[in-house]
Amino acid sequence: MKLKQMYDFFVQAGIENDPRGKDEVNTRLKEINEKYNKLDKQAKEDFDIDLLTNPYADSRIIFGTGDEDIKTVMVGIDIEAPELLIANQLRLSGKKIDVVLGHHPKGKAFSTFYQVIGMQAEINEVQGVPINVSEKLIGSRADEVERSVAGSNHQRVYDAAKLLNIPMMTAHTVADNHVVKYLQSRLDALKPRYLKDIMDFLKDIPEYKYAKTFGNGPTILCGSKNSKCGKIFVDMTGGTEGPVEMIEKLANAGVGTIVGMHFSEKHYKEMGKYKINAVVAGHISSDNLGINLMLDGLEKKYGQLEFIECSGFRRFRR
C-alpha cells in the first residue's frame, strides 16, 4: 500500500460515514468542482486542489510524496515535533517507521480546518434545526475559528517532518465521522430509556473502558442517571464545537440528550438553561474509537499493518 492509497481510503471512508449522508457530500463536491472549472488561470493556481476530491480540509498528507510504501505506522492523537523526534529515535534504533499518522490537524490541515465547520449546518438540519438558521450560526462560528488560528505557526510540525524526512499525515474529521456513525446507529437501535443506559452502553466499548482506567471514562454532565433520554444526538464531528447559540435551537428541535466528546463551560451552562441532558463520552477515547474503526477498514482492504502506539493512541481491533 502506498501513502496516497492510505490517504484516499481515509477520505472515501470519511465520506461513507459522514452524518450528512453520502449524497449530500457528493453534491457538495460537485459544486466545488463546478466552481473550480469556472475560475481563471490565476485563481486555479491558487486553488486548493485537494478540495476537488477531499471535502475535509483537516485531513491531509502533511509531508510526503504519496508514493511511500506503508507497512508500519506510528499513530498518535497529537503529533508534533517531540513525537517526530521519538519516531526518528526509534528509526535510529532499528525500528522501521513508514509514516506517522496524527489525528488532530497540523500544518496546512490546521490553518484551513475551519472550513470543515460548515458541515455542522447540515448535521444540525438533520436534527430538525432549519437550515437557514443553522447556516448563519455555523458561519459565524467558522469565522471566529478562522480568526483564532490565523496567527499560529502552521509550518512548525511540517518543518520537523521535512528535516527528519518522516512522512506524516493527519486524519481528523474522516475519523470523527466514524465515531458518530458507530455510536448513533447503535444508540438508535438500542433505544436507551435513561442516561444510565447510555453510560452502560459506552462503558462496554473498549476505548471508553480503557479511558476509565486513567480516571477519564464517560460521565454525565447534565442530568442524572435516571433522567430520561428523549431524542439522542451524537455530536462529535465537524472540526470543533459548534456555536453556543445552537443549544437553544436543538432544544426547540426536540433534542433531549447530546452525547459528545467534550463541552465548554459555556455549552454546559447553556444546556442547563435549556434542560438538555449531556453525556461526555470522552475526548481522547472518542478520537481513539474513530481512528480504530478507520484502521479496521484499512486493514480489511489492504491487509494487516504494524502499528506503533504513541501520544494517547491505543489500537483496538474489531
Side-chain angles (χ1 to χ4, degrees):
M1 178 182 63
K2 301 291 186 180
L3 177 58
K4 182 62 164 58
Q5 290 176 302
M6 181 179 177
Y7 169 72
D8 289 341
F9 176 85
F10 287 165
V11 171
Q12 190 56 43
I15 293 173
E16 294 288 343
N17 287 274
D18 196 300
R20 295 173 292 176
K22 186 177 178 180
D23 290 343
E24 173 64 27
V25 180
N26 286 331
T27 296
R28 286 277 179 171
L29 285 173
K30 182 180 178 181
E31 291 172 349
I32 292 172
N33 277 265
E34 289 174 349
K35 177 182 178 180
Y36 173 77
N37 290 332
K38 294 177 182 178
L39 297 177
D40 59 31
K41 182 179 179 181
Q42 182 59 55
K44 284 184 176 180
E45 289 179 0
D46 297 336
F47 191 86
D48 185 355
I49 295 296
D50 275 357
L51 291 176
L52 297 177
T53 54
N54 175 9
Y56 312 110
D58 57 2
S59 303
R60 295 291 178 86
I61 294 175
I62 305 304
F63 175 74
T65 65
D67 291 328
E68 294 85 355
D69 290 314
I70 305 299
K71 294 181 180 179
T72 302
V73 186
M74 181 171 165
V75 189
I77 303 301
D78 293 286
I79 298 298
E80 297 185 352
E83 285 74 27
L84 291 170
L85 286 171
I86 292 172
N88 190 56
Q89 187 62 45
L90 288 172
R91 292 198 308 181
L92 292 174
S93 300
K95 186 67 179 178
K96 183 174 175 56
I97 297 175
D98 299 311
V99 65
V100 176
L101 171 65
H103 177 58
H104 291 136
K106 300 296 176 183
K108 185 175 182 179
F110 179 67
S111 63
T112 61
F113 95 94
Y114 64 87
Q115 297 175 13
V116 176
I117 297 172
M119 67 186 285
Q120 295 183 28
E122 287 87 16
I123 292 173
N124 289 309
E125 182 187 21
V126 172
Q127 298 302 318
V129 179
I131 188 61
N132 56 303
V133 174
S134 188
E135 278 188 333
K136 289 179 175 59
L137 291 177
I138 296 301
S140 296
R141 174 62 175 149
D143 290 343
E144 176 188 349
V145 174
E146 180 182 6
R147 292 192 297 272
S148 72
V149 304
S152 300
N153 187 351
H154 305 298
Q155 298 311 308
R156 181 184 178 191
V157 178
Y158 164 81
D159 283 344
K162 182 179 179 181
L163 288 167
L164 295 169
N165 195 29
I166 300 176
M168 176 186 169
M169 72 169 295
T170 61
H172 191 218
T173 294
V174 293
D176 288 347
N177 284 353
H178 284 70
V179 189
V180 172
K181 181 75 172 289
Y182 183 85
L183 295 181
Q184 189 73 65
S185 62
R186 280 156 180 76
L187 286 170
D188 288 347
L190 181 64
K191 294 182 173 59
R193 181 172 173 83
Y194 301 104
L195 294 190
K196 63 182 180 182
D197 300 324
I198 296 179
M199 295 295 289
D200 289 342
F201 161 74
L202 291 174
K203 288 176 181 178
D204 279 339
I205 295 174
E207 288 82 358
Y208 298 124
K209 185 181 296 185
Y210 180 79
K212 189 178 178 182
T213 66
F214 281 84
N216 197 27
T219 60
I220 295 173
L221 183 66
C222 294
S224 70
K225 64 180 182 179
N226 292 316
S227 297
K228 290 184 179 178
C229 300
K231 182 181 179 182
I232 300 171
F233 173 31
V234 178
D235 185 19
M236 297 193 185
T237 194
T240 187
E241 284 184 323
V244 173
E245 297 84 355
M246 190 63 71
I247 300 299
E248 177 187 5
K249 308 307 177 186
L250 289 168
N252 292 339
V255 172
T257 298
I258 300 177
V259 179
M261 291 187 185
H262 51 76
F263 300 104
S264 72
E265 185 68 13
K266 289 183 179 179
H267 285 78
Y268 162 69
K269 291 178 178 178
E270 198 75 356
M271 285 185 286
K273 178 180 178 180
Y274 289 101
K275 316 306 179 189
I276 287 185
N277 298 319
V279 173
V280 177
H283 184 186
I284 304 306
S285 48
S286 295
D287 288 343
N288 268 270
L289 175 58
I291 296 171
N292 276 316
L293 291 169
M294 190 173 63
L295 294 179
D296 286 344
L298 184 70
E299 289 193 299
K300 184 177 180 180
K301 181 171 183 178
Y302 289 105
Q304 190 162 325
L305 300 167
E306 180 180 359
F307 296 102
I308 300 172
E309 304 167 336
C310 77
S311 186
F313 175 73
R314 298 296 180 271
R315 181 75 173 114
F316 294 100
R317 287 184 171 90
R318 286 169 173 77

